[in-house]
């Protein structure tokens, strides 16, 4: 959303960009595969033996042997100091209706604090609905802290955010477009693409969904919001010890951006077990290589049975493409669900420029036929899943702050696979033979888009 503005800005000013990580060199570093995964729970760190027992229990439910539960988890841990957190409840939320209803219910029940970080916070009907809910809680003594991105929320009026401030809500604009409003070195290309809501330090939401009218399919109706007329997206609701990891990211970024001093609240309450899910929260920033991107490539490299990826802006570098192609060639069921049209004119042609090689290797490609596909999810071997904000494009890989949750769970993997199955039923599969005979105009658009792919 609002990515046309980002593209235009980037074309004029390519300052302060990160770099695409050399995943091949990292993946071939054998020392990264010797570290034991670190597990924590409601009462602190688990022992090495307890961690091994968890991995063995996960392996017992695998339909086929998979390196994703040994080599990949070791690799993932070596790259990140964030532990795998046990004892969580993870609720899969499809589209705006389910997500907004769950968010507003959590906001309504807030007793202590609400921290919200959004790339886009609109001032339309949906935005006003959330603003009213936040103001109501602030008036009842709940401290609300809001961070929004300067480009993502550029169309939102200043008066909208002024109203929030006037009602006591702490509001911060992430990297304002106005260079005179800077709090540190000014750059326009580094954006905050994360979306998160943390209520009372006990419930957290993240995923691809912004606060915007494009998702407003029957908000408040209690339905699934599955209309093809509205944007297709995915979020998750988290409860349990892992919520503290999401809270840390919000407070760390607020402090780094020199936002207003946060009011004293119990941001890190004691968190007990809420479920059986194992979750790791991974964040990325342009100042470091993208842990999210390298982690996904590693998961694909170590896959054995299936790789199902849904992505809104598919413009990856050669490393991701090679990982997908090689997985398909060795017999892994690799499927991609991508948009058939987009809010960015070049992105569909850019994604299609890779179809020939992907199809030739055995990758199955589906194009969503609804209004807009905006989800960013993956499930691998039925046990490793991720839901988050990061796309497979150069913005997410090298220029934006991103956030993904990784869930190790067969039941959650089954939910993800079922959701993917339902989505491809509303999609058209690309036929390799027909694709070979596409028109000259389409081929020229693909070539042109491929040339500017790093700008997408």
């Amino acid at each position: 959303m609002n990515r046309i503005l980002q593209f235009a800005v980037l074309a004029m000013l390519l300052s302060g960009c990160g770099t695409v990580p050399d995943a091949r060199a990292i993946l071939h570093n054998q020392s990264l595969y010797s570290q034991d995964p670190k597990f924590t729970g409601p009462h602190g760190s688990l022992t090495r033996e307890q961690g091994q027992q968890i991995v063995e229990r996960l392996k017992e439910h695998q339909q086929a042997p998979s390196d994703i539960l040994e080599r990949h988890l070791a690799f993932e841990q070596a790259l990140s100091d964030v532990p795998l957190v046990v004892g969580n409840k993870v609720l899969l939320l499809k589209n705006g209706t389910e997500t907004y209803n769950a968010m507003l219910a959590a906001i309504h029940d807030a007793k202590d604090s609400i921290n919200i970080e959004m790339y886009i916070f609109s001032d339309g009907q949906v935005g006003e609905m959330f603003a009213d809910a936040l103001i109501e809680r602030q008036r009842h003594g709940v401290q609300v802290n809001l961070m929004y991105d300067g480009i993502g929320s550029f169309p939102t009026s200043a008066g909208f955010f002024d109203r929030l401030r006037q009602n006591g809500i702490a509001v911060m604009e992430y990297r304002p477009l106005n260079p005179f409003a800077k709090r540190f070195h000014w750059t326009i290309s580094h954006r905050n693409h994360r979306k998160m809501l943390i209520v009372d330090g006990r419930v957290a939401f993240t995923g691809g969904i912004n606060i915007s009218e494009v998702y407003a399919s029957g908000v408040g109706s209690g339905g699934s919001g599955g209309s093809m007329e509205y944007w297709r997206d995915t979020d998750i609701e988290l409860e349990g010890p892992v919520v503290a990891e999401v809270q840390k990211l919000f407070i760390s970024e607020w402090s780094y951006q020199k936002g207003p001093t946060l009011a004293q609240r119990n941001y890190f309450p004691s968190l007990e077990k809420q479920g059986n899910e194992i979750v790791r929260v991974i964040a990325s920033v342009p100042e470091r290589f993208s842990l999210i991107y390298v982690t996904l490539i590693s998961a694909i490299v170590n896959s054995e049975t299936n790789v199902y990826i849904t992505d809104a802006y598919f413009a990856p570098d050669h490393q991701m493409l090679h990982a997908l192609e090689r997985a398909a060639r060795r017999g892994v069921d690799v499927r991609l669900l991508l948009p058939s049209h987009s809010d960015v004119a070049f992105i569909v042609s850019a994604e299609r420029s890779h179809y020939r090689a992907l199809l030739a290797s055995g990758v199955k490609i589906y194009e969503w036929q609804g209004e807009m596909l905006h989800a960013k999810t993956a499930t691998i071997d039925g046990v490793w899943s991720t839901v988050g904000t990061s796309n497979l494009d150069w913005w997410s890989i090298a220029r934006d702050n991103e956030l993904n949750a990784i869930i190790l769970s067969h039941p959650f993997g089954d939910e993800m696979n079922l959701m993917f199955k339902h989505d491809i039923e509303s999609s058209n599969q690309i036929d390799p033979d027909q694709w070979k005979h596409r028109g000259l105009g389409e081929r020229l658009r693909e070539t042109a888009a491929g040339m500017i792919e790093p700008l997408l």
Side-chain angles (χ1 to χ4, degrees), residues 112-113 198-204 240 243-244 247 266-269 271:
D112 183 73
S113 66
I198 311 104
V199 177
D200 289 343
R202 298 182 181 278
V203 181
V243 174
Q247 186 79 292
N266 186 17
Y267 293 115
F268 294 98
L271 298 172

Side-chain angles (χ1 to χ4, degrees), residues 33-45:
Y33 296 94
S34 60
Q35 185 164 341
D36 292 322
K38 297 177 182 176
F39 292 87
T40 65
H43 306 295
S45 298

Side-chain angles (χ1 to χ4, degrees), residues 216-249:
S217 51
V219 174
S221 67
S224 64
S227 172
M228 300 287 280
E229 299 176 2
Y230 296 92
W231 283 30
R232 169 73 187 88
D233 217 331
T234 302
D235 253 45
I236 52 173
E237 179 180 354
L238 301 167
E239 293 181 72
V242 77
V243 174
E245 300 299 325
V246 184
Q247 186 79 292
K248 288 176 188 176
L249 290 172

Side-chain angles (χ1 to χ4, degrees), residues 1-14 119-120 149-154 177 188-193 195 313 343-344 374 391 393-396 399-402 455-456:
M1 289 169 125
N2 216 7
R3 296 173 67 88
I4 293 175
L5 175 61
Q6 273 193 295
F7 174 79
V9 168
L10 183 62
M12 294 185 292
L13 184 58
L14 285 171
Y119 178 65
I120 295 174
D149 184 79
I151 282 185
S153 299
F154 178 74
L177 296 185
I188 203 169
S189 60
H190 177 176
R191 309 316 312 172
N192 188 354
H193 195 241
K195 299 99 178 168
Y313 304 102
D343 59 335
V344 175
H374 195 253
N391 295 293
D393 66 351
W394 289 62
W395 276 99
S396 288
R399 302 182 186 113
D400 287 345
N401 290 4
E402 302 286 2
L455 299 179
L456 300 177

Side-chain angles (χ1 to χ4, degrees), residues 80-359:
S80 173
D81 59 356
V82 179
L84 288 158
V85 184
V86 304
N88 304 287
K89 177 183 177 182
V90 183
L91 180 63
L92 191 61
L93 300 169
K94 185 176 179 180
N95 293 339
T97 300
E98 290 184 5
T99 302
Y100 290 161
N101 286 343
M103 284 181 168
L104 289 167
I107 290 171
H108 176 76
D109 291 340
K111 302 294 190 296
D112 183 73
S113 66
I114 299 171
N115 291 336
I116 184 166
E117 184 173 336
M118 284 286 156
Y119 178 65
I120 295 174
F121 203 120
S122 81
D123 54 2
Q125 179 182 0
V126 172
E128 289 290 353
M129 178 173 58
F130 271 84
D132 290 344
L134 295 173
I135 289 171
E136 189 274 336
R137 287 292 84 199
Q138 182 73 40
R139 289 175 175 171
H140 283 79
V142 176
Q143 179 57 49
V144 180
N145 306 306
L146 167 65
M147 186 190 321
Y148 68 94
D149 184 79
I151 282 185
S153 299
F154 178 74
T156 303
S157 68
F160 176 84
F161 294 115
D162 287 341
R163 175 180 170 235
L164 296 177
R165 292 187 181 95
Q166 291 164 4
N167 280 277
I169 294 174
V171 179
M172 181 180 70
E173 179 181 2
Y174 182 91
R175 294 184 181 266
L177 296 185
N178 179 4
F180 299 103
K182 68 179 182 179
R183 289 177 287 272
F184 39 76
H185 174 66
W186 185 79
T187 176
I188 203 169
S189 60
H190 177 176
R191 309 316 312 172
N192 188 354
H193 195 241
R194 296 173 184 170
K195 299 99 178 168
M196 65 176 87
L197 167 67
I198 311 104
V199 177
D200 289 343
R202 298 182 181 278
V203 181
F205 297 82
T206 192
I209 295 180
N210 291 284
I211 305 301
S212 170
E213 285 62 50
V214 297
Y215 300 107
S217 51
V219 174
S221 67
S224 64
S227 172
M228 300 287 280
E229 299 176 2
Y230 296 92
W231 283 30
R232 169 73 187 88
D233 217 331
T234 302
D235 253 45
I236 52 173
E237 179 180 354
L238 301 167
E239 293 181 72
V242 77
V243 174
E245 300 299 325
V246 184
Q247 186 79 292
K248 288 176 188 176
L249 290 172
F250 177 89
I251 291 178
S252 174
E253 192 61 43
W254 186 280
S255 176
Y256 182 73
Q257 294 296 322
K258 299 180 172 58
T261 301
L262 290 173
Q264 291 295 317
R265 287 293 188 275
N266 186 17
Y267 293 115
F268 294 98
S270 176
L271 298 172
E272 296 300 321
K273 177 179 177 180
Q274 298 296 325
N276 298 314
E277 308 293 25
I278 304 168
V279 185
R280 191 199 308 270
V281 175
I282 293 184
S284 65
V285 293
E287 290 83 359
R288 293 188 60 192
F289 69 80
S290 174
L291 291 174
I292 297 169
Y293 193 63
V294 175
T295 291
L296 181 56
I297 291 177
S298 172
I300 294 168
V301 167
N302 289 289
S303 64
E304 296 288 344
T305 58
N306 74 277
V307 174
Y308 299 156
I309 293 175
T310 301
D311 195 68
Y313 304 102
F314 187 77
D317 76 331
H318 67 279
Q319 300 174 107
M320 176 63 71
L321 294 167
H322 289 172
L324 293 167
E325 291 164 10
R326 289 168 183 162
R329 290 194 186 102
R330 66 173 186 268
V332 177
D333 180 16
V334 180
R335 305 187 184 203
L336 302 176
L337 176 59
L338 307 173
S340 59
H341 55 275
S342 176
D343 59 335
V344 175
F346 300 103
I347 198 69
V348 172
S349 293
E351 77 183 35
R352 288 174 176 171
S353 71
H354 302 298
Y355 282 10
R356 183 181 63 81
L358 289 166
L359 291 168

